Amino acid sequence: MKVVNLKQAILQAWRERWSDFQWAINMKRFFPRGATWDILNLAEALLEQAMIGPSPNPLILSYLKYAISSQMVSYSTVLMAISKFDDFSRDLCVQSLLEIMDMFCDRLSCHGKAEECIGLCRALMSALNWLLRCAAFYAERVKETLEQAAAESQLKMCLERLEKTLSSTKNRALIHIGKLEETSSWSTVEQSLVKLGESLNGLSNSPLRSQADDCISLIKSIPTMLSVHSEQLNKTGFPTVHAVVLLEGTMNLTGETQPLVEQLMMVKRMQHIPSPLFVLEIWKACFVGLIESPEGTEELKWTAFTFLKIPQVLVKLKKYPQGDKDFTEDVNCAFEFLLKLTPLLDKVDQRCKKADREHAPHLKSEENANIQPNPGLILRAEPTVTNILKTMDADHSKSPEGLLGVLGHMLSGKSLDLLLAAAAATGKLKSFARKFIKLNEFTKHITGEGSKGASVRALLFDISFLMLCHVAQTYGSEVILSESSPAGEVPFFETWMLTCMPEEGKILNPDHPCFRPDSTKVESLVALLNNSSEMKLVQMKWHEACLSISAAILEILNAWENGVLTFESIQKITDNIKGKVCSMAVCAVAWLVAHVRMLGLDEREKSLQMIRQLATPLLGENTLQFYNERVVIMSSILEHMCADVLQQTATQIKFPSTGMDTIPYWNLLPPKKPIKEVLTSVFTKVLEKGWVDSRSIHIFDTLLHMGGVYWFCNNLVKELLKETRKEHTLRAVELLYAIFCLDMQQLTLTLLGHILPNLLTDSSKWHTLMDPPGKALAKLSVWCALSSYSSHNKGQASARQKKRHREDIEDYISLFPLDDTQPSKLMRLLSSNEDDSNTLSSPNRSMSSSLSASQLHTISMRDPLNRVLANLFLLISSILGAKTAGTHTQFVQWFMEECVDCLEQGSRGSILQFMPFTMVSELVKVSTMSSPKIVLAITDLSLPLGRRVAAKAIAAL
C-alpha cells in the first residue's frame, strides 16, 4: 500500500477507523525516516481535516492528541496550526482547540536548536493573538440577548486559557523574546488588546470583566517585566550615599555636578533606596560635613557645598525618571523627616552661629547679635561673584585704580575665602581664575608710567598672583590650568605654577632650567636688591623679577655661605624682596623649599633662616597699599609650601598668626606606626561607627597615595573577608564602595583584574569566599564594575583622580592578551588547577566559547577596563563549566545574582555584555539562577544571537 501524501494517509486512517497508536505505527511505516513531522506539517494537516464540519472530528483529534503526547509534533507547530483557525462561530471547534491547548500551554518546552526555540516564541505570540481575537469575538456575542449564556461560557473558557498561559513567567518571557524578534506581530497583539478592551465595555458580568482585565494588564506588563525592583524599606541609614556626599564636599567642591548626580543615582539604583530617604541622606551628610569641618576655609567650603551646590544637584536629580512618583513630593517628605532630626539641626545651627561671630568680628556686639547665620553670607556671596566677574571683564587700562579698590575690598577679612567658596560651588571658579590670569598678564605691558601708575601696576600684579596661588593651594592647581590654550605663549602664572610651585606630592629640581633664567637679568636683580634702600617700581617687569629671583637667591646664599655678605645685608635684601610685592617672596621661598630638600643636615641652616626672614612681615610705614591683607595671604601660601619640608627636616618656622586657618587635614598619619596598621585601625573604627567621616576620608586618601592602588585594595578586601556577621559584611561593602570612590577606576581594575582572579583560581583561598564575606565581596565587585563602567563610558574622571601619580598601574594589555593565539595569564592560572586544562588554555580553543555581545557591538578591547571585564567573565564561564565545584562556584553565582539585581531593564551595553553567550546555558543549571527573568536579564536581547541564546535557555527550563 503506497500512500501519496499526508492528507490521503489521514483520510485512510479515518475510513478504516484506526486507533491512535495503530495510526502512529502506520504513519511511521508510510513515511521514510528522513523527514520530520514538523517539516511535513502534520499538526496543520490533522487540524485541517478535523475541523471540516460544524463540529470537530473526534477520531482525527485523537490522532493529534496522540501526536502531541508522543512528541511526534512540536508545540510550536500545534500552536501555529491553532492560530490559523478563525471561524469562531463554530463553538464546538473552538472548544476542542482550547482543550488541545490545555494539554501543554502551562508547561511549554523545547529542547531542539535555537531556531526551533525562537519558533516557539513566535508561535506563542500567534496563539496569544488568537486567544485575544477569540475572546473579543465572544465578548461581542455576549451583548446579543439570545446567545448570552452560551457566549458567556465560551468567553469564560477563552479567558481561562489566556490566564493559564500568561500566569507562567516562562511563557511571558518567551513572548517577550518573540516581541523583540518580530515587532510587527507584537503590534497585532496590541491591536487585538484594544479590540478586546472595546468589546468588554458593555459587559455586565463582573467576574468575567475582572478576569479579562487581569489578563490585559499581564500582557501589557510583558515589555517591562524586568524593570520591577523592590525598594529597601527596612533601612533608614545609607552609609554609601553619606560617604559619597562627604567625599565630594571635602575633596571636590570645584567638580561638575553631573558626575556627582550620576554617581548618586547609581548608588540609589544599586541599593534600591526609596527617593525620600535618598534625599534625606544627602542632606544629613551635608549637615554632618558642616559640623565636622575644621574652622576656616573648610567650613566655608562646606557651607557653599550645602547651600549652593546641593540645590543644583537636586534640580538635576528631578530630571531623572522617577516611575510614577513625583520627585517634589519625595523632597517634601524628606524635609519632614529632616525636621524631626532635632539634635542634628541644633548642632548645625550652633556651628553656623559660631561661624558668624568669627566672620564678622569688625561689627559691634549689638550688631553682631542679629547678624544672619553663615548660609546667609554664602548666599549673598554668589551674586557678588557674578558682579566681580563683570568688573574684571572691563578694560583694565581704563581705570586700574577702580579695579584695585574692588580687589582690595575682596582681600579684607574672610571675604576672599567666602567669595572663592561661592564661586567654587557654582562652577565659576575656573572663569574667576582665568580673569585673574588675564589681569596678571595685563601688568606685563608698561607704557610711560609715573610713580602712582607704577605702584597700582605692582599691586595688581601682586594681588592677582597671590590670589591665584591661594586658589591653587585651596582648590587644586587644575582649576587654574586652561584646557588647551590657543597657540601663543602660556601665561606667566601657569608656567610658574607648573614648574616652580611646590605642591603635595610634587618634587621640584632646584637646578631645573626654569630656575636659571638669563644671567644678565639675574645680576641686575641681585645688584638692585643689594644696593638700593628699597625696591624700585617704575618700569619694573615683575614677572621677569619673579622668574629671576630663584637664581638671585642662589647667588646671595652662596655669597652669605662664603662670608661675602653679612647677616645684616641679608636682612636688608630680604626686606627688599618682601617689602613692596609679596609675590617675589613667594617665588623665592618656592625655590628655597626645593633647594633645602637636596641639602644635607648640616647645610640647611642658612636656607631655612632665609625662609624665616622672608616669612616675617615688614613693620614699616613705607609699604604699598593693602600690605597687611596681602601678608595674610602670603603667610598662608608660604605655610602650605613649607609644610612638607619642615616636617622632613624637623624644623619649626613660626608663621605670623594671620587669622588664616592652619592647613586642614594635613599630617594625619600617626608617626612610627606602619601604614597597614593605620589602614586596618581606621577601617575598623569606621565600620564600628557605621559611616565615614571627613577625617577618615583624608586618611584613606593619604594611604592610597602612599601604599599604591594594589596594596590599598588588597588589604581592604582582606579586612572584608575577615568579617563573619552578615549585617557587618553588608555595612562593610557599603562603606568600602564609598572609600573606593577615591579612585574608582584604578581600584576596580585592581579588584577585578588581580584580586578576584587570584582568589578564584587558588584553591587554598576558596575557604575565604564562604557566605557572608564571600557574598559581600561579590556585591562589592559588581557595584565597582557597574560604577566604573558607566562613568568610564562618559569619560568622567574627576580632576582629583587625574592628577594622581600612576607608577603602580599595570600594563593591562600584556597582562590579559585577548587574541586567542597566546593564552593569557588568566588562562594559564586556570589550567593549573583544571582537569581539562587543554580545552582552556590551548591556543586553538574555539572562539565561540568566548564570543560575547561586546564583540558583536565591537567594543574596543584596547581599553583596560573592557579587557579586565572580558577576562573576568571568561574566568567565571570556565568555573561554571568546570568539573569541580566549591565556594568559588558559589561566589560566581552570587556575582551573577547581584548583576541581575542591580541592572535595570533597558540598560543594554552594561557589564554583562562581556559574558560569553555559552555561559547562559551553564548558569541555568544552577538552581537559584534557573528562572526565566534571570535569563532575560543576563542576555543582550537587542542582538539576534542574544535572543536565540535566551530562547533556548528558557525553553529548556
Side-chain angles (χ1 to χ4, degrees):
M1 172 182 66
K2 180 77 179 146
V3 175
V4 182
N5 65 17
L6 205 52
K7 191 171 173 182
Q8 286 176 333
I10 295 167
L11 288 172
Q12 185 182 352
W14 173 67
R15 274 199 303 273
E16 296 177 15
R17 297 292 187 272
W18 294 344
S19 66
D20 47 14
F21 66 90
Q22 199 180 355
W23 167 80
I25 293 166
N26 287 333
M27 288 297 279
K28 284 172 187 171
R29 199 181 303 145
F30 292 160
F31 290 92
R33 292 193 65 172
T36 66
W37 300 110
D38 279 357
I39 292 174
L40 294 168
N41 250 337
L42 176 61
E44 199 174 321
L46 283 169
L47 265 184
E48 207 176 292
Q49 293 304 314
M51 298 292 165
I52 286 172
S55 65
N57 181 324
L59 185 62
I60 297 180
L61 275 186
S62 74
Y63 297 159
L64 178 59
K65 288 176 182 171
Y66 186 87
I68 293 170
S69 303
S70 60
Q71 295 188 346
M72 279 172 75
V73 291
S74 67
Y75 295 136
S76 53
T77 54
V78 178
L79 287 171
M80 284 310 266
I82 290 175
S83 60
K84 284 179 182 166
F85 180 84
D86 52 5
D87 186 359
F88 298 125
S89 58
R90 292 192 274 166
D91 293 1
L92 294 170
C93 290
V94 172
Q95 233 165 357
S96 58
L97 289 176
L98 291 172
E99 280 163 17
I100 288 173
M101 284 184 85
D102 269 352
M103 293 174 68
F104 57 80
C105 71
D106 55 346
R107 49 189 177 82
L108 286 173
S109 64
C110 171
H111 296 274
K113 295 182 178 141
E115 277 307 325
E116 292 167 35
C117 300
I118 282 282
L120 179 60
C121 297
R122 292 193 178 115
L124 190 54
M125 210 155 58
S126 299
L128 172 67
N129 192 30
W130 182 79
L131 280 169
L132 287 171
R133 284 168 51 220
C134 192
F137 177 82
Y138 289 118
E140 283 296 331
R141 284 242 318 250
V142 169
K143 295 173 188 173
E144 299 165 16
T145 35
L146 292 172
E147 300 181 15
Q148 190 169 5
E152 271 189 8
S153 76
Q154 288 286 96
L155 178 59
K156 186 164 183 269
M157 284 166 72
C158 273
L159 292 175
E160 274 168 7
R161 274 26 168 231
L162 253 179
E163 206 166 24
K164 192 174 177 183
T165 309
L166 291 166
S167 61
S168 137
T169 316
K170 177 175 170 178
N171 288 355
R172 293 205 304 280
L174 290 170
I175 294 170
H176 184 75
I177 296 171
K179 162 191 170 286
L180 296 168
E181 187 69 23
E182 268 190 8
T183 41
S184 55
S185 306
W186 179 253
S187 46
T188 324
V189 169
E190 286 178 321
Q191 286 162 14
S192 305
L193 265 181
V194 173
K195 276 188 192 148
L196 176 58
E198 288 167 0
S199 309
L200 289 170
N201 282 340
L203 206 62
S204 54
N205 183 334
S206 56
L208 279 181
R209 180 69 205 252
S210 67
Q211 195 177 9
D213 287 343
D214 290 349
C215 292
I216 290 174
S217 62
L218 263 177
I219 296 171
K220 284 183 175 167
S221 74
I222 289 174
T224 58
M225 64 186 290
L226 290 182
S227 55
V228 187
H229 274 310
S230 54
E231 293 185 325
Q232 287 198 48
L233 297 172
N234 53 346
K235 279 181 69 175
T236 50
F238 299 94
T240 313
V241 177
H242 191 101
V244 167
V245 173
L246 269 184
L247 180 77
E248 195 73 10
T250 314
M251 295 190 152
N252 200 19
L253 179 61
T254 54
E256 288 178 26
T257 49
Q258 193 55 34
L260 169 63
V261 170
E262 279 169 17
Q263 192 173 18
L264 285 169
M265 279 309 286
M266 190 73 167
V267 174
K268 179 179 189 288
R269 272 201 305 268
M270 292 191 304
Q271 299 185 10
H272 312 311
I273 306 174
S275 281
L277 295 177
F278 171 64
V279 176
L280 174 68
E281 197 63 56
I282 293 175
W283 282 337
K284 268 166 47 180
C286 286
F287 287 161
V288 169
L290 200 56
I291 294 164
E292 285 182 341
S293 60
E295 286 175 13
T297 322
E298 284 301 304
E299 175 180 68
L300 287 173
K301 281 186 182 180
W302 261 109
T303 316
F305 180 73
T306 307
F307 295 98
L308 293 177
K309 193 166 184 177
I310 288 297
Q312 297 172 38
V313 169
L314 291 177
V315 168
K316 286 197 170 169
L317 283 174
K318 188 179 180 181
K319 291 178 185 159
Y320 280 77
Q322 307 290 329
D324 47 2
K325 294 176 189 141
D326 178 19
F327 187 66
T328 320
E329 271 177 37
D330 290 334
V331 172
N332 290 344
C333 180
F335 203 72
E336 281 171 25
F337 288 146
L338 184 67
L339 293 176
K340 290 176 186 155
L341 300 174
T342 323
L344 179 71
L345 295 175
D346 285 352
K347 218 160 168 124
V348 178
D349 195 36
Q350 195 183 343
R351 181 72 202 255
C352 288
K353 283 183 174 150
K354 179 177 162 215
D356 272 344
R357 286 194 284 283
E358 288 167 11
H359 291 183
H362 53 285
L363 295 177
K364 295 190 195 75
S365 53
E366 60 268 19
E367 285 175 343
N368 211 354
N370 54 22
I371 189 169
Q372 277 187 308
N374 185 327
L377 287 175
I378 275 286
L379 293 170
R380 286 204 301 277
E382 190 198 2
T384 316
V385 169
T386 319
N387 291 338
I388 290 173
L389 288 175
K390 276 185 197 156
T391 312
M392 301 276 296
D393 272 336
D395 183 357
H396 303 323
S397 53
K398 296 254 173 65
S399 65
E401 292 88 352
L403 182 61
L404 187 59
V406 174
L407 297 184
H409 187 68
M410 275 176 72
L411 293 181
S412 60
K414 275 277 180 195
S415 52
L416 177 62
D417 280 332
L418 193 66
L419 292 167
L420 290 179
T426 51
K428 292 180 185 143
L429 190 61
K430 219 169 172 56
S431 60
F432 214 77
R434 307 274 357 120
K435 301 273 194 283
F436 278 108
I437 283 185
K438 229 164 114 187
L439 172 63
N440 191 270
E441 288 295 291
F442 161 74
T443 57
K444 284 181 180 178
H445 311 297
I446 311 167
T447 44
E449 59 178 5
S451 59
K452 189 179 179 209
S455 64
V456 168
R457 193 171 59 81
L459 279 169
L460 289 178
F461 173 83
D462 199 33
I463 291 174
S464 57
F465 185 93
L466 292 172
M467 278 190 182
L468 287 164
C469 277
H470 183 59
V471 169
Q473 285 181 340
T474 316
Y475 292 99
S477 50
E478 57 282 350
V479 178
I480 285 170
L481 298 177
S482 44
E483 258 68 58
S484 52
S485 53
E489 57 176 319
V490 180
F492 155 71
F493 185 81
E494 277 190 43
T495 316
W496 181 83
M497 182 182 74
L498 286 172
T499 47
C500 312
M501 180 171 156
E503 281 182 283
E504 188 188 0
K506 178 163 129 188
I507 304 298
L508 296 171
N509 170 13
D511 301 326
H512 189 278
C514 72
F515 292 123
R516 299 276 166 275
D518 181 2
S519 55
T520 50
K521 287 179 185 169
V522 176
E523 280 166 23
S524 60
L525 181 65
V526 172
L528 181 68
L529 291 171
N530 194 16
N531 302 332
S532 57
S533 55
E534 63 172 52
M535 205 59 188
K536 74 164 187 143
L537 301 175
V538 179
Q539 300 292 324
M540 183 72 179
K541 293 184 175 170
W542 293 110
H543 57 285
E544 282 183 9
C546 282
L547 285 174
S548 311
I549 189 80
S550 48
I553 290 280
L554 178 61
E555 298 282 331
I556 292 160
L557 256 180
N558 286 338
W560 187 18
E561 299 267 359
N562 296 321
V564 178
L565 288 175
T566 60
F567 181 62
E568 285 70 33
S569 327
I570 296 294
Q571 259 182 323
K572 183 182 130 190
I573 290 171
T574 51
D575 284 354
N576 269 340
I577 293 175
K578 68 191 176 190
K580 297 289 184 198
V581 287
C582 299
S583 13
M584 273 177 70
V586 171
C587 296
V589 172
W591 178 80
L592 281 165
V593 164
H595 181 63
V596 169
R597 277 179 194 273
M598 305 297 169
L599 299 176
L601 204 60
D602 48 345
E603 302 166 321
R604 293 173 179 160
E605 184 45 46
K606 287 199 162 55
S607 303
L608 289 169
Q609 208 166 344
M610 199 170 236
I611 294 180
R612 264 192 206 97
Q613 288 290 324
L614 288 167
T616 318
L618 206 58
L619 301 169
E621 291 302 306
N622 196 9
T623 52
L624 287 175
Q625 218 178 337
F626 307 122
Y627 186 67
N628 293 344
E629 287 85 347
R630 285 180 292 132
V631 163
V632 170
I633 299 180
M634 177 182 85
S635 299
S636 154
I637 294 168
L638 297 186
E639 190 175 358
H640 276 81
M641 274 185 183
C642 301
D644 276 354
V645 147
L646 296 183
Q647 186 190 19
Q648 286 156 9
T649 56
T651 317
Q652 282 195 328
I653 289 184
K654 184 91 181 78
F655 290 96
S657 68
T658 54
M660 281 291 209
D661 41 295
T662 51
I663 305 173
Y665 304 120
W666 184 76
N667 200 9
L668 292 170
L669 300 187
K672 297 190 177 68
K673 192 173 177 184
I675 56 173
K676 184 165 184 236
E677 280 176 32
V678 179
L679 184 68
T680 48
S681 67
V682 175
F683 183 68
T684 313
K685 231 178 269 170
V686 161
L687 193 57
E688 273 168 24
K689 264 204 306 197
W691 51 280
V692 190
D693 54 289
S694 328
R695 185 185 158 81
S696 307
I697 287 178
H698 280 270
I699 294 178
F700 284 127
D701 193 45
T702 313
L703 292 170
L704 175 57
H705 272 294
M706 277 184 147
V709 180
Y710 181 81
W711 173 87
F712 187 78
C713 189
N714 192 27
N715 282 310
L716 284 175
V717 167
K718 281 180 186 165
E719 288 305 303
L720 171 63
L721 292 176
K722 282 181 199 165
E723 284 302 327
T724 49
R725 281 175 296 176
K726 192 176 173 183
E727 58 280 8
H728 261 204
T729 53
L730 184 63
R731 186 193 295 172
V733 169
E734 293 181 329
L735 293 169
L736 276 176
Y737 170 79
I739 294 165
F740 279 12
C741 287
L742 283 167
D743 193 348
M744 185 54 88
Q745 290 290 332
Q746 292 304 324
L747 286 162
T748 303
L749 285 175
T750 306
L751 178 64
L752 306 182
H754 298 277
I755 291 167
L756 280 192
N758 286 343
L759 286 170
L760 292 172
T761 49
D762 182 352
S763 52
S764 65
K765 292 182 182 152
W766 287 349
H767 67 279
T768 59
L769 297 174
M770 306 271 271
D771 190 20
K775 195 170 186 175
L777 180 59
K779 200 183 257 300
L780 177 67
S781 310
V782 173
W783 287 3
C784 290
L786 284 173
S787 301
S788 287
Y789 191 72
S790 75
S791 66
H792 167 80
N793 275 359
K794 300 187 176 77
Q796 293 164 347
S798 77
R800 199 167 25 83
Q801 291 162 2
K802 283 180 195 151
K803 76 174 183 192
R804 179 167 275 132
H805 297 291
R806 288 271 165 260
E807 296 87 9
D808 51 1
I809 293 180
E810 291 249 17
D811 170 12
Y812 284 93
I813 295 202
S814 59
L815 187 67
F816 300 132
L818 277 181
D819 58 321
D820 281 63
T821 53
Q822 168 188 18
S824 67
K825 172 185 174 186
L826 181 66
M827 286 304 166
R828 288 198 299 279
L829 277 171
L830 285 172
S831 59
S832 62
N833 60 3
E834 268 296 348
D835 317 334
D836 49 350
S837 58
N838 310 347
T839 57
L840 282 172
S841 54
S842 71
N844 339 327
R845 84 171 190 284
S846 68
M847 208 22 228
S848 64
S849 67
S850 63
L851 180 68
S852 66
S854 61
Q855 283 150 297
L856 299 177
H857 287 308
T858 59
I859 278 173
S860 156
M861 283 297 162
R862 304 289 304 162
D863 182 275
L865 184 62
N866 295 349
R867 216 165 239 287
V868 164
L869 284 166
N871 268 281
L872 181 64
F873 277 107
L874 277 177
L875 170 59
I876 286 177
S877 178
S878 64
I879 288 173
L880 283 169
K883 293 190 174 78
T884 48
T887 40
H888 62 308
T889 324
Q890 180 75 59
F891 177 87
V892 164
Q893 183 188 327
W894 290 323
F895 183 91
M896 293 307 298
E897 281 173 6
E898 190 59 35
C899 281
V900 173
D901 193 42
C902 290
L903 286 173
E904 75 282 31
Q905 166 66 359
S907 63
R908 296 285 157 254
S910 178
I911 58 170
L912 285 175
Q913 66 182 335
F914 295 99
M915 179 181 84
F917 286 120
T918 49
M919 199 171 119
V920 179
S921 53
E922 294 292 342
L923 263 180
V924 178
K925 294 174 191 168
V926 180
S927 58
T928 52
M929 300 296 278
S930 59
S931 92
K933 276 194 177 186
I934 285 179
V935 176
L936 288 183
I938 59 179
T939 40
D940 188 339
L941 298 175
S942 63
L943 294 169
L945 182 56
R947 293 197 286 273
R948 273 152 188 67
V949 168
K952 192 170 176 347
I954 293 172
L957 286 175

